[in-house]
Amino acid sequence: MNSITFYTYPSCTSCRKAKMWLKQNKVSFEERHLFKETPSVEELRELLKLTKAGTEDILAKRSQSFKSLDVDIYDLSTNELLELLTKNPKLLKRPLVTDGELLIAGYSPGDMKKLSHKNEKEHISSHVS
């Protein structure tokens, strides 16, 4: 079973809701403070592999940090954008929840259920084998 990593920021309402959901559903996870333990460029690259729309899925475009950028992100290479995200993690959607195969950006109970059920099935099959 893949472990779940929960990238969070404690004062974020969506992060608090996601954490509560994980705890209420008895889903074990490793919690990482998004601003104190910012994902590395390589970790972000791995997260991007799990997206459908690439950086569009993980960018917090409605955030004040994004709106105040003096850079057009569409002019940046992927490497430059990933470097920017590691230096300014406020540009990332919150929370980010992943088991290494599925990524949830933002709080969505429906998506959280998919992650929870997927990991329950893997847990059961690992005990049956």
Side-chain angles (χ1 to χ4, degrees):
M1 176 170 56
N2 293 332
S3 63
I4 293 174
T5 304
F6 175 57
Y7 296 94
T8 183
Y9 180 60
S11 67
C12 163
T13 302
S14 294
C15 295
R16 288 194 305 266
K17 288 179 183 177
K19 185 175 182 176
M20 186 183 319
W21 190 97
L22 289 166
K23 286 184 172 188
Q24 287 175 343
N25 288 277
K26 297 177 178 52
V27 176
S28 59
F29 58 93
E30 173 196 347
E31 185 171 351
R32 287 187 50 191
H33 190 293
L34 201 50
F35 303 152
K36 293 179 182 176
E37 298 176 81
T38 303
S40 67
V41 168
E42 192 52 44
E43 288 172 312
L44 289 172
R45 197 176 306 285
E46 291 301 313
L47 292 176
L48 282 178
K49 290 178 184 177
L50 305 176
T51 65
K52 293 179 181 161
T55 55
E56 296 291 317
D57 287 351
I58 64 169
L59 279 172
K61 289 186 167 182
R62 296 185 317 205
S63 73
Q64 190 58 44
S65 296
F66 186 85
K67 291 176 183 174
S68 64
L69 271 180
D70 58 353
V71 172
D72 184 351
I73 63 155
Y74 299 105
D75 290 339
L76 301 176
S77 70
T78 302
N79 286 339
E80 291 170 329
L81 180 58
L82 295 178
E83 286 288 338
L84 177 66
L85 292 173
T86 60
K87 290 178 180 136
N88 192 349
K90 288 184 178 185
L91 296 172
L92 290 166
K93 281 187 182 174
R94 296 180 293 269
L96 294 173
V97 184
T98 185
D99 66 355
E101 294 178 17
L102 178 66
L103 173 67
I104 301 166
Y107 173 62
S108 165
D111 289 341
M112 300 288 276
K113 280 184 184 176
K114 290 179 197 172
L115 184 69
S116 173
H117 290 313
K118 181 178 164 302
N119 282 280
E120 281 174 15
K121 288 178 187 175
E122 288 176 4
H123 181 72
I124 291 168
S125 66
S126 70
H127 283 83
V128 172
S129 313

